[in-house]
Amino acid sequence: MKKLLNYIPVLGVAMAFAACESDLDGTTFNAQTAQPAVLNAPATTNIVLEAANASDVAVSLSWEKADFGYSAISTTNIDFDLAGNNFANARQLAAVTTATTQDITVNDLNSAVINLLNDHGIEEDYSARDYEIRLSSSISQAADTLYSNVITLNITPYSMDVQYPKLWVVGKYCDWNHGNSQFLYSANFDDNYAGMIYFNGLANVEGWKLTPAGDWNNGEWGMDGTPEAEAPTQILITSGGGNITTYSHNSYYIEFNTTTCELKVSQVYDSWGIVGNHNGWGTGDTPMTLGQETDAAGNVQHFLTATMHMDANNTWKIRPDEKWENDKGPGQLKYEGDVADNGDGNFIATEAGEYTIKWYFNKVEQSLVVTRN
């Protein structure tokens, strides 16, 4: 199954500061005398990345700061690109102001590598390649950017799923634990976030909130007052808001705009199940239940699952509340394992046996994994 990655920096929020007018009084930037930062060679330049070590440090960078000829607040970006590309498609690994060191984790470096390969039309090729890193330092748009020396790294990446900006949906359903939460994603890397959330019967038990990070230290969005039950839209507030308790069903498609703070809910269901030849495409769908697992990178993955017997050539698909709306077949889900496309909008089991079906619903690109036990 093709897996591409749209990468955003996860090393921290990039900070950019322009020097105050008073800082520059009586001073003049001189491009002829200004000195760029000097990037030191890391301990190793031959790096093999592995998913099992995603949280480990892949490379530690250090440098001497740029000298603009006077004391000024500057921003230093760590630029990263394929070797020989003259940083034409450079990605920013991090941005700092006063720091002169930066640790880059295996996960973050691998994300940058896969994203660059995608930019160059290179897909599912995880061989070793040369990449280049440099520092670009600036004090304002009016002054020239200073570029450091270039360090070449030989990096072998590993395959990984798409990573999008996300918001944490935290509530009673996950015991208010950010580490077990489901997410809303920004598929277009803007202020619009969306995703299917399965509350497992606990949507209105203590309720839930949205946070921009995996903790309570970076703000939150909560309910303002008491909107009507199952309100299709409401405006959340960023401070002093209550838990969102106005929704009582299991499954919702939730949209949220971080600028307007408007919350929208749709596709409201209480259950998902497997319908097919095994139940005559009628009632009595095989119910799916909520499960979770930890992937090789240490991230919790949520899925709806069912284990059931299928006869050879049984055709089937997933649907909500035994209704023929928003049903899921080969045209809606990426799939892998012991399953095939029957060509009529349904999946097919080519051999008789007991099958475990896992639908990874809490993703931008939802996927299905089927295993014949």
Side-chain angles (χ1 to χ4, degrees), residues 164-352:
Y164 294 92
K166 62 187 179 183
L167 301 178
W168 280 251
V169 181
V170 189
K172 179 62 177 176
Y173 82 95
C174 64
D175 288 329
W176 297 98
N177 181 350
H178 282 85
N180 292 327
S181 73
Q182 295 170 38
F183 304 99
L184 303 183
Y185 298 92
S186 177
N188 295 318
F189 290 79
D190 55 19
D191 53 4
N192 295 299
Y193 291 74
M196 176 182 160
I197 304 296
Y198 193 88
F199 288 106
N200 208 27
L202 299 173
N204 64 346
V205 179
E206 298 182 17
W208 47 280
K209 285 188 171 183
L210 303 176
T211 66
D215 54 44
W216 296 104
N217 302 323
N218 294 273
E220 62 191 64
W221 290 277
M223 190 168 66
D224 184 16
T226 309
E228 63 177 296
E230 305 298 328
T233 64
Q234 61 174 290
I235 303 298
L236 303 186
I237 56 178
T238 57
S239 62
N243 297 343
I244 303 167
T245 57
T246 51
Y247 305 101
S248 59
H249 296 278
N250 274 345
S251 174
Y252 293 88
Y253 184 75
I254 298 176
E255 301 170 82
F256 184 68
N257 183 286
T258 54
T259 299
T260 65
C261 295
E262 183 180 44
L263 181 81
K264 297 180 181 180
V265 300
S266 60
Q267 300 179 30
V268 182
Y269 304 113
D270 285 314
S271 66
W272 289 85
I274 311 297
V275 63
N277 295 139
H278 55 276
N279 67 332
W281 296 97
T283 59
D285 293 1
T286 301
M288 304 186 79
T289 58
L290 183 65
Q292 67 179 50
E293 62 192 15
T294 302
D295 64 18
N299 301 311
V300 173
Q301 302 291 330
H302 299 271
F303 54 84
L304 289 175
T305 185
T307 298
M308 58 182 293
H309 176 81
M310 293 190 192
D311 293 333
N313 299 318
N314 182 75
T315 58
W316 58 275
K317 66 190 332 178
I318 298 171
R319 67 175 179 174
D321 290 348
E322 298 193 350
K323 298 178 180 178
W324 289 113
E325 60 183 49
N326 291 319
D327 47 283
K328 310 296 182 182
Q332 293 74 45
L333 302 176
K334 297 289 184 180
Y335 58 92
E336 61 180 276
D338 300 315
V339 63
D341 181 353
N342 194 48
D344 58 358
N346 302 314
F347 295 112
I348 185 170
T350 56
E351 297 182 54

Side-chain angles (χ1 to χ4, degrees), residues 21 56 137 177 221 349:
E21 188 173 323
D56 293 350
S137 304
N177 181 350
W221 290 277

